[in-house]
Amino acid sequence: MLGPTAAGKSDLALRLAGDLGGEIINADSMQLYAGMDIGTAKLTVAQRRGIPHHLLDVWDVGHEANVAEYQGLARAAIAEVAGRGRVPILAGGSGLYLRAALDELDFPGTDPAIRRRLEQELDQGGPGALHARLAGLDPAAARGILPSNGRRIVRALEVIEVSGRPFTATLPRYESVYPAVQIGLRVPRAELDERIAQRVARMWQDGFVAEVRRLDQAGLRAGRTASRALGYAQVLRFLAGEWTEQQAREETIKATRRFARRQEAWFRRDPRVTWLDAGLGVDPHGLALTTISTCGSARGMAPRTTS
């Protein structure tokens, strides 16, 4: 289950899990962090309706996200759920994490010296200059990475230096190692923008600033990945006195809308996705069940043998 933020993935995944005897495996990179609840729209225990959820609250906010680590966690969760005769349902909007879980994605090695140098450049000059460098070396990679996502920009540049190949050349073909059905939700742009604004308003009403303040005391600001999460980065700037609270809120809406467009662009490139309308007055539930039944059962999630 994939698509941009605020498209309704969590709700539909819950309904399908109830229909299919499934359990949900998180594929939202920021929901892996314990305590990052309001800003990531993480479902509460009550909202999960008794459906087991996996890979929530795995890391503390100081942990640096690692897609290779997530791949191992996700595949272990898939095997564990399927081994009990249940249907694994991956749900989230982190495209690279979904591909890491499902596809033959290998990770190039790292070079600590190169990584340190690039991170120093990031700290000193910000992500803009590095993103411009990436655009010159690998335009396709630059289009797929937010200009503000310094961590991913650094990793892409590191891979280019280490491997001598474009970062995009390290991504696999669109071939899953599992028998999988991929369903994407799409919402008209204007409606999605309004949903995002409403979600941010609810975040503030639910105590988002207090959540960020608590996490700041627990080391959020020092976390290279978590501190850059949407909303959290903006509120940290408010808490540091750089912005007003209203600025932080408005910038969160703007950044989330930009991120949703990047998500849509990433997912549209995958020809395996069956897209379902999820706009106002449209319930994709029935079509999702039909799509799954047409493609075959998702039970028996043993990896295919690859050559």
Side-chain angles (χ1 to χ4, degrees):
M1 183 64 53
L2 55 87
T5 187
K9 299 183 294 296
S10 296
D11 181 66
L12 182 55
L14 277 173
R15 296 169 71 185
L16 293 177
D19 295 327
L20 303 172
E23 300 183 12
I24 295 172
I25 298 171
N26 169 49
D28 180 315
S29 62
M30 293 300 113
Q31 290 193 5
L32 285 150
Y33 286 100
M36 293 177 67
D37 303 330
I38 297 172
T40 66
K42 189 184 297 176
L43 296 181
T44 66
V45 173
Q47 290 170 332
R48 297 171 201 172
R49 306 172 198 169
I51 301 294
H53 282 61
H54 303 266
L55 303 190
L56 296 174
D57 305 323
V58 174
W59 297 329
D60 64 48
V61 292
H63 185 88
E64 185 169 356
N66 184 312
V67 183
E69 182 179 355
Y70 172 80
Q71 182 183 64
L73 293 170
R75 292 189 176 182
I78 290 170
E80 193 268 329
V81 171
R84 291 187 281 101
R86 307 281 287 175
V87 177
I89 299 175
L90 273 75
S94 298
L96 188 59
Y97 279 57
L98 282 162
R99 292 207 68 190
L102 294 175
D103 294 348
E104 197 64 62
L105 184 59
D106 295 321
F107 298 93
T110 64
D111 185 310
I114 293 175
R115 172 67 67 92
R116 281 194 300 273
R117 171 168 51 78
L118 291 169
E119 288 180 343
Q120 286 173 357
E121 291 184 46
L122 176 65
D123 291 339
Q124 293 169 3
L130 291 180
H131 191 268
R133 186 188 308 171
L134 179 62
L137 295 170
D138 188 346
R143 286 193 297 271
I145 299 176
L146 282 171
S148 60
N149 193 335
R151 179 183 57 83
R152 285 199 63 204
I153 296 168
V154 164
R155 176 56 179 158
L157 289 171
E158 179 191 18
V159 168
I160 291 170
E161 286 199 47
V162 170
S163 69
R165 297 184 297 158
F167 178 69
T168 46
T170 67
L171 297 177
R173 297 188 298 269
Y174 290 109
E175 296 178 359
S176 176
V177 299
Y178 298 102
V181 179
Q182 296 195 42
I183 293 174
L185 298 183
R186 59 188 173 203
V187 178
R189 177 64 53 79
E191 182 181 345
L192 187 64
D193 283 350
E194 180 57 27
R195 288 191 191 185
I196 288 169
Q198 292 174 0
R199 172 175 285 188
V200 172
R202 286 195 302 273
M203 287 162 51
W204 251 257
Q205 292 167 6
D206 292 343
F208 181 49
V209 172
E211 175 177 283
V212 179
R213 185 176 281 112
R214 287 194 302 272
L215 291 172
D216 191 14
Q217 295 170 353
L220 173 64
R221 197 178 298 271
R224 297 194 67 88
T225 305
S227 65
R228 297 187 174 102
L230 289 169
Y232 295 88
Q234 285 75 21
V235 173
L236 284 173
R237 295 188 68 171
F238 159 61
L239 296 177
E242 299 175 30
W243 285 348
T244 66
E245 184 174 351
Q246 184 61 29
Q247 280 179 295
R249 181 168 168 167
E250 291 172 356
E251 291 300 324
T252 297
I253 293 172
K254 292 177 185 177
T256 305
R257 286 172 173 169
R258 290 193 297 268
F259 178 62
R261 285 152 176 68
R262 295 274 182 171
Q263 289 175 298
E264 290 172 328
W266 173 283
F267 291 128
R268 276 199 304 266
R269 292 196 288 266
D270 192 333
R272 300 166 296 178
V273 178
T274 297
W275 289 98
L276 304 180
D277 290 326
L280 185 65
V282 180
D283 185 354
H285 178 233
L287 282 175
L289 283 174
T290 299
T291 299
I292 292 168
S293 63
T294 300
C295 295
S297 172
R299 296 185 187 275
M301 293 284 287
R304 293 190 177 101
T305 302
T306 58
S307 56

